[in-house]
């Protein structure tokens, strides 16, 4: 399957290390999902804790293959930053969507689902279903 048909995934965390680690974990657990375009967007430009509209926009552009971009976030202000970018209308690729999902489990589900060539709706649904995963 050509990677240009896959949904891109952006993982937005307040920490660059957390975003990068969750991206690595999701790719690893997804097995053959190496072709799925996944980009972490963590922390600030200076390497501190926080969120950066510029880093998020850059990450989204880097994973856009024309099939849509699913953006997963960790905490409140990351959500607000992505919502602000979406409201501006021209900062993120067309077809970018903020996905309501748990960060780690949702990222794994999104990457696994995207690796099958599923569309953005299916990737969003799979990530959101991760809220129902029981641990005990």
């Amino acid at each position: 399957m050509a990677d240009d048909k896959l949904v891109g995934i952006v993982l937005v965390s307040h920490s660059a290390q957390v975003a990068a680690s969750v991206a690595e974990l999701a790719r690893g657990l997804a097995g053959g999902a190496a072709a799925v375009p996944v980009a972490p967007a963590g922390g600030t430009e200076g390497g501190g804790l926080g969120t950066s509209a510029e880093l998020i926009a850059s990450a989204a552009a880097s994973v856009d293959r024309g099939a849509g971009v699913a953006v997963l976030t960790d905490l409140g202000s990351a959500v607000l930053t992505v919502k602000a970018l979406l409201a501006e209308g021209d900062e993120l690729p067309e077809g970018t969507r903020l996905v309501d999902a748990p960060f780690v489990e949702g990222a794994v589900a999104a990457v696994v689902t995207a690796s099958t060539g599923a569309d953005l709706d299916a990737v969003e649904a799979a990530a959101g279903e991760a809220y129902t995963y029981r641990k005990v």
Side-chain angles (χ1 to χ4, degrees):
M1 174 173 315
D3 66 347
D4 60 344
K5 300 298 181 194
L6 297 177
V7 171
I9 298 169
V10 174
L11 302 175
V12 181
S13 173
H14 283 68
S15 162
Q17 293 85 357
V18 168
S21 294
V22 171
E24 179 184 0
L25 177 68
R27 279 192 204 101
L29 292 178
V36 175
V38 180
T44 63
E45 289 89 347
L49 293 177
T51 56
S52 161
E54 292 77 18
L55 290 177
I56 295 166
S58 176
S62 78
V63 300
D64 180 26
R65 303 293 184 271
V69 176
V71 180
L72 286 79
T73 60
D74 63 356
L75 301 169
S77 64
V79 173
L80 296 176
T81 303
V82 174
K83 283 184 174 181
L85 285 167
L86 288 168
E88 289 176 26
D90 61 351
E91 296 295 317
L92 297 174
E94 186 174 337
T96 298
R97 190 178 301 171
L98 175 60
V99 173
D100 184 13
F103 193 60
V104 175
E105 296 91 335
V108 172
V111 172
V112 167
T113 303
S115 73
T116 70
D119 66 11
L120 183 57
D121 288 339
V123 171
E124 178 179 28
E129 285 173 16
Y131 275 127
T132 66
Y133 297 174
R134 306 271 320 193
K135 297 182 182 177
V136 288

